[in-house]
Amino acid sequence: MSAEAGGQAAIELTGVAVSFGAGQQIYRAVADVDLTVAPGEFVAIVGPTGCGKSTLLNVAAGLQAPSAGHAHVRGRAVSGIVAEAGYLFQADALMPWKTALANVAVALEVKGASKREAEERALAWLARVGLKTYVHRYPHQLSGGQKKRVALAQVLIRDPAILLMDEPFGPLDAQTRTLMGDLLLALWQADRKAVLFVTHDLDEAIALSDRVVVMSAGPSSHIIAEHRIDLPRPREIGDIRLDPRFHAFQSAIWRDLKAEVMRAYGDEFAGLKV
Ligand SMILES: Nc1ncnc2c1ncn2[C@@H]1O[C@H](COP(=O)(O)OP(=O)(O)OP(=O)(O)O)[C@@H](O)[C@H]1O
């Protein structure tokens, strides 16, 4: 679906540059990025470490002001934190002193819902993410994957218009990552929100997305390629990985990415001669 077909874009970055520091110490992390996510589209950003993936996500979230260019979310210029976005980051955002139920319910309570209504809806969301029997556990009594499911419920219960996800399943083991990917796909399929998803993992990017955007190594990182992933939906990650076209996408994206990854790491590996 193009941005035009769905009306205004869900997320639109135009000519975005981000620099850190000042004077002689200035570091131009990202330069001249144009990126549009259409309503209902799932877009993944991949690129070498330190290329500016999180920086771009932060610009879309309103957490980082661009030094040049503009960010729009659903047609509105971003200035400050975007309230209609749901964020899921690698680090755990759960409050350790609250149960799973309270952690999810609080997302509605802060928006003015009564405790009873918030808890009822939180129970329904925890059931949707498969945690019906864990609602009274505290985060330290949950596995990494279970905590991620609570975090997902905590984000989705607010019904955000767009989702911004930064390596959300990064700390999980491979099997749990796959299950979390399938859960995310099932939830997304039921209620297609625009998603901007940052990951290091090519397989994850291909399996989940409609489009994979490849960034160059920094400084002045920019988009060097885009791949439309027209694999059939609904998808299950285990099955879609067996599709021969999945491997064709892997090879094509890796061809774009490899030189940039080598450029990002080159000097460090050169220094490791023994
Ligand atoms: N607040 C900051 N101050 C100074 N430099 C920063 C700041 N935030 C990010 N950078 C630098 O900008 C560049 C891009 O960082 P960013 O975290 O966006 O990259 P990334 O692609 O998400 O990295 P990774 O894949 O390793 O998570 C990096 O070189 C980083 O060191």
Side-chain angles (χ1 to χ4, degrees):
M1 190 187 349
S2 72
E4 288 76 21
Q8 66 195 182
I11 303 166
E12 189 165 27
L13 306 181
T14 317
V16 163
V18 179
S19 296
F20 295 107
Q24 298 281 318
Q25 300 300 315
I26 202 158
Y27 180 75
R28 195 159 207 231
V30 170
D32 204 18
V33 168
D34 293 325
L35 174 62
T36 300
V37 182
E41 193 183 23
F42 199 127
V43 175
I45 307 179
V46 299
T49 183
C51 74
K53 301 180 291 295
S54 301
T55 299
L56 279 188
L57 204 78
N58 289 341
V59 169
L63 294 167
Q64 171 70 53
S67 32
H70 306 280
H72 286 82
V73 168
R74 303 173 87 214
R76 280 192 292 278
V78 171
S79 62
I81 290 179
V82 178
E84 56 201 319
Y87 312 97
L88 204 61
F89 298 108
Q90 187 168 0
D92 213 334
L94 301 181
M95 289 167 264
W97 62 91
K98 285 186 185 285
T99 62
L101 180 64
N103 261 293
V104 178
V106 75
L108 286 185
E109 286 172 45
V110 295
K111 288 183 81 186
S114 69
K115 191 175 167 67
R116 192 173 155 191
E117 186 202 342
E119 287 193 351
E120 264 172 27
R121 288 178 51 197
L123 278 172
W125 264 104
L126 285 163
R128 273 184 89 176
V129 299
L131 291 177
K132 205 171 169 180
T133 55
Y134 296 85
V135 296
H136 298 302
R137 294 222 189 159
Y138 289 86
H140 75 274
Q141 298 170 319
L142 296 168
S143 70
Q146 289 165 340
K147 279 189 274 200
K148 278 289 163 201
R149 284 189 270 162
V150 176
L152 200 52
Q154 190 186 50
V155 169
L156 294 176
I157 196 173
R158 288 174 42 233
D159 195 24
I162 62 168
L163 286 174
L164 302 172
M165 307 180 110
D166 194 349
E167 293 270 0
F169 309 141
L172 303 177
D173 64 85
Q175 289 94 341
T176 310
R177 265 179 100 111
T178 301
L179 293 177
M180 284 303 300
D182 278 337
L183 175 63
L184 176 62
L185 278 181
L187 294 169
W188 176 80
Q189 192 74 38
D191 175 20
R192 288 193 176 208
K193 296 176 189 300
V195 182
L196 191 54
F197 190 100
V198 165
T199 180
H200 280 107
D201 184 336
L202 271 194
D203 285 11
E204 186 174 64
I206 298 165
L208 296 177
S209 309
D210 296 313
R211 193 153 49 97
V212 175
V213 168
V214 184
M215 292 184 73
S216 68
S220 295
S221 179
H222 52 280
I223 293 173
I224 51 166
E226 292 197 14
H227 295 260
R228 189 159 291 283
I229 312 296
D230 54 356
L231 295 168
R233 291 196 189 269
R235 299 179 190 163
E236 278 204 18
I237 293 178
D239 294 340
I240 208 79
R241 277 196 193 127
L242 304 175
D243 190 313
R245 292 178 60 224
F246 187 93
H247 300 288
F249 281 123
Q250 266 179 331
S251 309
I253 298 172
W254 180 240
R255 264 198 302 277
D256 292 333
L257 195 54
K258 187 176 174 187
E260 299 304 321
V261 171
M262 299 315 280
R263 208 148 69 78
Y265 279 117
D267 290 350
E268 292 171 33
F269 281 109
L272 284 178
K273 287 194 187 107
V274 283

